[in-house]
Amino acid sequence: MKKEGRKKLKDEDLKPVEKEDVVNGKEVPSDSEDDGVESPVVSDDDYGSFSEGDDSSRNSDSESESGSEQSEFSEDEDDENPINEAEGDLSDGVDDHSEGDQSASEDSREVVDESDSSEDEVGPRNTIGDVPLEWYNEEEHIGYDVAGKKIKKKERLDKLDSFLARTDDSNSWRKITDDIEDEEVELTKEETKLIRRLLKGHAPHADFDPHAPYVDWFAWDGAKHPLSNAPEPKRRFIPSKWESKKVVKYIRAIRKGLITFDKPKEQPRFYNLWGDESSSNEKGHGLSYIPAPKTKLPGHDESYNPSLEYIPTQEEISGYQLMFEEDRPKFIPKRFTSLRSVPAYEKSVRETFDRCLDLYLCPRARKKRINIDPESLKPKLPSRKDLKPYPTTCYLEYKGHKGPVSSICTDTSGQYIASGSHDGSVRLWEVETGRCIKIWELGEPVKHVAWNPLPELPILAVSMGHDVFLLDTGLEKEEHKMISDLLHVETPTSPDESETAVSVSWSQYDKYEGIRITHFKSVSSVEWHRKGDYFSTVMPADILFILTSSAFPIKLPFKLHGLPVSSTFHPTRSIFFVSTKKNVRVYDLVKKKFIKKLEAGVREISSISIHPGGDNVIVGSKDGKLCWFDMDLSSKPYKVLRSHNKDITNVAFHRNYPLFASCSDDSTAYVFHGMVYSDLNQNPLIVPLEILHGHRDTNGRGVLDCKFHPRQPWLFTAGADSVIKLFCH
C-alpha cells in the first residue's frame, strides 16, 4: 500500500548526488546508498517547514513531505522513473516510522492533476458535457456539479428590470451570460480588444505580424557546388521503353477509331461580295450584325422616259422654288429620247456622301418583334347563347308625344308605363297593347317621372320646373278614397313650420286632384323610397326628404361638397346615395353620418343605379364611360366600360335578371350581363350582350332614358324623336 500510494518524480528532478544529501545547506551522510543508484535532490522549499531539532524527526518529516511532493506528479510518468528508485534514495539515512503514521499520512494526501494551461486551473462547475441545454428548459436545475449535486437555475430579471440595471451599470456592455454555467461573465479589456480585432478580420493578437519577412534558412554564401555532386544516371541518356509502349498503344487506338480528332474547318474559296451578312449561317463573335436599312427602289418617275403624267409643268416647277427645302421634292422627272442621251446625275456624289454619313452617325438597334394573336388577349367570356334571355329586338313602339320624351317609369306590376315629355304632358300607357290610357297636360316641360313602389298606392310623382306634382293615376278603384285623403293638404298654421315654408310650399292641385310642391329652385329628379312613404327631390343647391304623410319636408342633415346631380335609395337598407359631378357620397339615414365616397374619375357624372343586392353601383358619365363599383372591394371603380361615343343619359339595373343597361345621346342602348356572386372571393362577371338601335338623332340628342320591365327581360327606351320603344328577347 505504501508503494502504490506514492507518485514518481520527474526526470529533471532526479539528479545524481555522490554519497551525501544537502538539506538546508547541511550535508547529510547516506551510508545505506547503493552503488549506481541516483539520489534525488530535494529543494529548500520542501524543508522550509522543518525546525532545527532532532535528526530523526527531521528525517521523518522530510520523508512525508517528499511523499506529498511525489503524489503531485501525473500517473503517466510511471514508466519513466520507477517508484523503488525514489524510495530507496530517500530512505537512506532516515529512520523508519510506524505503519500507523504512514497510513495516516497516505490518507491525507490528495491527488491533483497538473496542467500548463491557466484555463484548466478552475474546472467547469457544470458537468453535463455535450448534453443540449434544451433538455433542461422545463427543469428547475441546469446541470450537476462535480459532486453530483443539482445546480439550481438563477432567477432571471424581466426586461424592464434588466433594462434599468443596464442603465445604472456603466460596464453592462461588457457582461455576457454563460448559459452552461448560468452566470454573468464580465469581459476584460484584453478580451474586448481581441473580439474587436476578430470582428474586423484581423489577427487576434496585436503583436502578430501576418506579413513578416521571409527567413531563408539555407546559407547560400559560398555555395559553389550543387547539393548533390553525383553523376547523371544512365536512364537520362537512353530512350524509355515505357514511353515507346505508351506511344504504340495510342497509335493502335487512333487506327481503330477509339481516339478521334476534330477536323479543321475548310475555308471557302468564294464568298458573296454584295451579300447580306445577316442571312449567312456563320455567326461572328462579339456584337450581332445589324444590317443597314435598304434604300428606296426607283419608281416610274425616275425612269429616263416616264409617262407624261409624271412630268411636272413649268408652273409646278416654279412652285417648287417657293416651298421649303424640306418639303421640296428632291428629284424632278425628265424625259429623254434614249438611254444614251441621259446625262450623269449631278447629285450622285452628294447623295452617296449623305448615305454614308447616315450609316456612320445614325445608331441602329435590333428590336425583337413578338407576334401575338389579338384574340388571345381578349378575356374568355361565356357565350351569349348561354346568357339568354335578354332584349334584342324592338317589339312595340309607343307614339303620341309631340316632343322629346325625357323620362319613363313602370309600375310595380309591369302592366303600365308612365312617360313625361318636353311638350308638357304626362301619358299613361298600357304595356302589352301600346294604348294610351290617360294624359295630364301640365303646361311645362317634364324632367322626371317616378311611380310609387307600393302597388296599393298608384301615385305618380312628376317634376317640372320648380314644382313637383303628386298625381293619382286612378288605376285602383277600391283605394280611390284612401288615395284622395292622402293627396289632400291643409294650410299649415304652426309658427315653427314657417322656416321650411320659405324653401318648399305645399298646395292643393285641384285640376287633377293632386298635390303641388313648389321649390325655390328647379327640380331635376324625383326618387321614391322602397316603402313608398317618402321620396327625395334633387335641386342644384340642396336635397330634401319629403314625407307624404305630412306636408313638411325634412332637410338632409349632411353637407354636400359640390352640386348634386342625382340621388337614389338603397334597395334593402337605410342608406342614401347622392351623386355630384365628380363622386358619389353614401350616407346612413339612421345614424345620420357619412359612410364613404366613391371616386369615379370621370369628367361629369350623369346618372346612378344600385344593384338589387345593394353592394354594387353603376355610374354613367357625360364622357361616355360607365363605371362599376364594388362597395366591398374599393372606393375606386372595379370596371370602366367605354362603350358610348357621346354622353350617357341614364343607367339601370334589372330587379330579377342579371342585366343592366345604359343609353346615350348616340341613339344607342347597350345591354350587359352583370352577374354578382354570393362568394366574396369571386369578382362580378360583366359581359356585353347587345347594342340596341332604332331611335333617330334629333337636335344632337338620342336616347334620353331607359328602364327595365320589373318582371320580364324587357327594356323600355325613350328617345328625343318622341317615340318610346319596347325591346324584347
Side-chain angles (χ1 to χ4, degrees):
M1 298 212 27
K2 183 176 180 181
K3 292 181 180 181
E4 293 177 359
R6 295 181 179 179
K7 299 296 180 180
K8 304 171 186 176
L9 297 176
K10 293 182 180 179
D11 292 341
E12 56 268 23
D13 296 334
L14 300 178
K15 298 179 181 179
V17 178
E18 296 179 1
K19 296 184 180 180
E20 59 182 5
D21 294 336
V22 179
V23 178
N24 291 335
K26 297 181 180 182
E27 296 180 0
V28 179
S30 55
D31 299 335
S32 61
E33 182 179 17
D34 298 334
D35 295 336
V37 179
E38 297 178 355
S39 176
V41 177
V42 182
S43 63
D44 296 340
D45 297 338
D46 297 334
Y47 296 97
S49 60
F50 293 106
S51 61
E52 296 179 358
D54 191 5
D55 293 338
S56 61
S57 61
R58 189 182 305 169
N59 293 335
S60 63
D61 294 337
S62 64
E63 182 180 359
S64 62
E65 184 69 18
S66 62
S68 62
E69 180 70 18
Q70 294 171 3
S71 63
E72 294 179 357
F73 293 96
S74 62
E75 296 180 357
D76 297 337
E77 302 175 354
D78 294 340
D79 298 335
E80 298 178 1
N81 297 322
I83 299 175
N84 296 331
E85 291 181 13
E87 290 179 354
D89 296 336
L90 294 175
S91 60
D92 294 340
V94 181
D95 296 338
D96 296 332
H97 293 273
S98 62
E99 294 180 0
D101 296 335
Q102 292 177 357
S103 61
S105 63
E106 290 174 357
D107 295 337
S108 62
R109 299 190 189 105
E110 293 182 359
V111 179
V112 178
D113 295 335
E114 291 185 354
S115 175
D116 296 337
S117 176
S118 61
E119 296 179 357
D120 295 337
E121 292 179 359
V122 180
R125 190 166 62 99
N126 198 349
T127 59
I128 59 173
D130 295 335
V131 176
L133 291 177
E134 290 81 4
W135 293 4
Y136 293 92
N137 288 340
E138 298 180 358
E139 302 293 338
E140 296 181 355
H141 61 284
I142 197 172
Y144 302 90
D145 57 3
V146 180
K149 295 181 181 180
K150 294 181 179 180
I151 302 175
K152 298 293 183 179
K153 291 182 179 178
K154 296 181 180 180
E155 294 184 0
R156 296 293 180 92
L157 299 177
D158 55 1
K159 292 187 177 180
L160 181 59
D161 294 339
S162 61
F163 174 74
L164 295 175
R166 287 198 304 271
T167 55
D168 296 338
D169 190 2
S170 60
N171 293 329
S172 60
W173 62 276
R174 293 188 178 210
K175 295 181 180 180
I176 60 174
T177 303
D178 188 358
D179 294 334
I180 297 178
E181 300 295 337
D182 194 16
E183 60 183 3
E184 285 190 353
V185 180
E186 185 174 354
L187 301 177
T188 61
K189 292 184 179 180
E190 290 75 11
E191 291 172 345
T192 54
K193 290 181 181 179
L194 186 141
I195 293 174
R196 287 197 186 100
R197 293 184 61 82
L198 290 177
L199 292 176
K200 292 180 181 179
H202 300 163
H205 301 284
D207 54 352
F208 175 75
D209 186 10
H211 306 289
Y214 175 72
V215 178
D216 194 356
W217 300 101
F218 184 79
W220 297 94
D221 299 338
K224 297 181 181 181
H225 299 284
L227 297 179
S228 176
N229 201 14
E232 292 288 339
K234 186 179 180 180
R235 63 177 178 272
R236 296 186 181 178
F237 305 98
I238 299 176
S240 175
K241 295 182 179 180
W242 181 87
E243 291 180 357
S244 62
K245 292 181 180 180
K246 203 70 175 176
V247 171
V248 172
K249 181 179 179 181
Y250 285 136
I251 292 174
R252 291 176 181 175
I254 293 172
R255 290 176 180 176
K256 291 181 180 180
L258 301 178
I259 299 176
T260 57
F261 302 96
D262 296 335
K263 295 181 179 180
K265 296 182 179 180
E266 296 181 358
Q267 298 293 337
R269 295 180 57 190
F270 309 102
Y271 62 94
N272 190 0
L273 180 62
W274 308 106
D276 190 358
E277 296 182 5
S278 61
S279 60
S280 61
N281 296 328
E282 298 180 1
K283 295 182 179 180
H285 298 283
L287 299 176
S288 60
Y289 173 75
I290 302 176
K294 296 181 180 180
T295 58
K296 185 180 179 181
L297 297 177
H300 295 287
D301 53 348
E302 296 182 2
S303 174
Y304 75 96
N305 190 14
S307 301
L308 294 176
E309 58 185 2
Y310 292 103
I311 298 176
T313 61
Q314 188 63 33
E315 296 179 357
E316 294 177 350
I317 294 175
S318 59
Y320 293 158
Q321 303 299 327
L322 301 177
M323 299 172 62
F324 292 101
E325 187 177 358
E326 293 82 4
D327 301 333
R328 190 181 305 167
K330 297 181 180 180
F331 178 77
I332 299 176
K334 294 181 181 180
R335 194 170 190 180
F336 301 95
T337 56
S338 63
L339 191 60
R340 295 181 181 179
S341 59
V342 177
Y345 185 48
E346 63 274 8
K347 297 182 180 180
S348 60
V349 178
R350 181 65 183 178
E351 290 184 356
T352 305
F353 175 75
D354 292 341
R355 168 74 173 173
C356 296
L357 194 64
D358 292 341
L359 296 178
Y360 170 67
L361 295 178
C362 297
R364 299 190 298 274
R366 186 184 299 274
K367 294 183 179 180
K368 294 183 179 180
R369 185 176 180 180
I370 303 175
N371 296 324
I372 300 176
D373 186 11
E375 297 295 331
S376 63
L377 301 177
K378 295 181 180 179
K380 295 182 180 180
L381 300 177
S383 176
R384 294 194 304 169
K385 297 180 180 179
D386 301 335
L387 303 178
K388 289 183 177 181
Y390 56 87
T392 56
T393 57
C394 180
Y395 174 72
L396 197 61
E397 292 184 355
Y398 305 89
K399 296 181 179 180
H401 286 287
K402 298 179 181 179
V405 182
S406 58
S407 178
I408 55 176
C409 184
T410 60
D411 69 328
T412 308
S413 62
Q415 298 179 2
Y416 306 99
I417 180 174
S419 62
S421 175
H422 287 183
D423 58 2
S425 64
V426 177
R427 293 175 180 263
L428 187 62
W429 310 82
E430 191 175 5
V431 173
E432 295 182 356
T433 61
R435 181 172 59 93
C436 183
I437 300 176
K438 199 170 184 178
I439 301 175
W440 292 274
E441 293 291 343
L442 302 178
E444 293 185 18
V446 179
K447 293 185 177 180
H448 198 271
V449 294
W451 210 300
N452 193 301
L454 295 179
E456 61 272 9
L457 295 177
I459 300 175
L460 192 65
V462 181
S463 65
M464 47 184 296
H466 293 253
D467 300 329
V468 174
F469 293 93
L470 299 180
L471 304 176
D472 183 11
T473 58
L475 298 177
E476 292 290 339
K477 302 296 183 181
E478 299 177 356
E479 305 292 340
H480 181 70
K481 178 64 176 174
M482 183 183 65
I483 295 174
S484 61
D485 294 340
L486 288 175
L487 297 179
H488 179 71
V489 179
E490 297 180 357
T491 304
T493 58
S494 176
D496 298 336
E497 297 163 359
S498 61
E499 296 180 359
T500 58
V502 175
S503 60
V504 177
S505 62
W506 292 63
S507 62
Q508 192 71 34
Y509 190 61
D510 297 332
K511 183 178 180 180
Y512 294 111
E513 297 181 357
I515 299 176
R516 182 174 184 174
I517 309 169
T518 304
H519 298 70
F520 67 97
K521 285 190 177 182
S522 61
V523 181
S524 60
S525 65
V526 180
E527 290 291 337
W528 285 92
H529 190 262
R530 67 181 184 277
K531 295 182 179 180
D533 51 358
Y534 56 90
F535 60 91
S536 67
T537 59
V538 178
M539 291 185 296
D542 197 2
I543 298 182
L544 300 176
F545 293 152
I546 302 176
L547 294 174
T548 59
S549 59
S550 64
F552 309 108
I554 300 176
K555 290 186 178 180
L556 185 69
F558 310 112
K559 184 179 180 181
L560 296 176
H561 299 272
L563 296 178
V565 176
S566 62
S567 65
T568 184
F569 292 94
H570 195 278
T572 57
R573 299 165 58 186
S574 60
I575 295 177
F576 190 60
F577 294 84
V578 181
S579 64
T580 60
K581 291 185 178 181
K582 295 298 182 181
N583 49 55
V584 179
R585 303 178 72 86
V586 186
Y587 300 95
D588 192 340
L589 300 179
V590 177
K591 298 180 181 179
K592 295 183 180 181
K593 69 175 183 179
F594 172 76
I595 299 178
K596 66 166 54 178
K597 180 175 69 174
L598 305 179
E599 299 178 358
V602 295
R603 185 183 66 189
E604 184 177 346
I605 296 175
S606 60
S607 57
I608 183 175
S609 181
I610 312 299
H611 190 269
D615 294 334
N616 295 271
V617 181
I618 55 174
V619 174
S621 65
K622 289 190 176 182
D623 53 358
K625 297 180 182 179
L626 188 145
C627 304
W628 179 295
F629 287 92
D630 190 348
M631 297 183 62
D632 296 335
L633 184 63
S634 173
S635 60
K636 301 290 184 180
Y638 163 66
K639 290 287 185 181
V640 178
L641 306 177
R642 299 172 178 85
S643 54
H644 296 281
N645 298 326
K646 293 185 178 181
D647 301 353
I648 295 178
T649 54
N650 194 22
V651 291
F653 269 111
H654 200 285
R655 295 182 184 177
N656 300 324
Y657 290 89
L659 299 173
F660 68 96
S662 64
C663 58
S664 173
D665 283 336
D666 58 1
S667 301
T668 59
Y670 281 70
V671 181
F672 300 90
H673 174 86
M675 175 61 74
V676 178
Y677 301 96
S678 58
D679 187 7
L680 298 178
N681 295 327
Q682 192 170 3
N683 295 327
L685 176 63
I686 302 174
V687 182
L689 295 177
E690 194 70 28
I691 303 176
L692 304 178
H693 300 273
H695 289 277
R696 291 181 287 106
D697 191 356
T698 304
N699 298 327
R701 302 301 301 273
V703 183
L704 302 180
D705 196 6
C706 64
K707 289 290 189 302
F708 277 104
H709 192 276
R711 297 182 181 180
Q712 299 293 335
W714 301 344
L715 182 66
F716 297 93
T717 58
D721 54 357
S722 68
V723 179
I724 303 171
K725 292 181 179 291
L726 171 61
F727 292 89
C728 300
H729 62 283

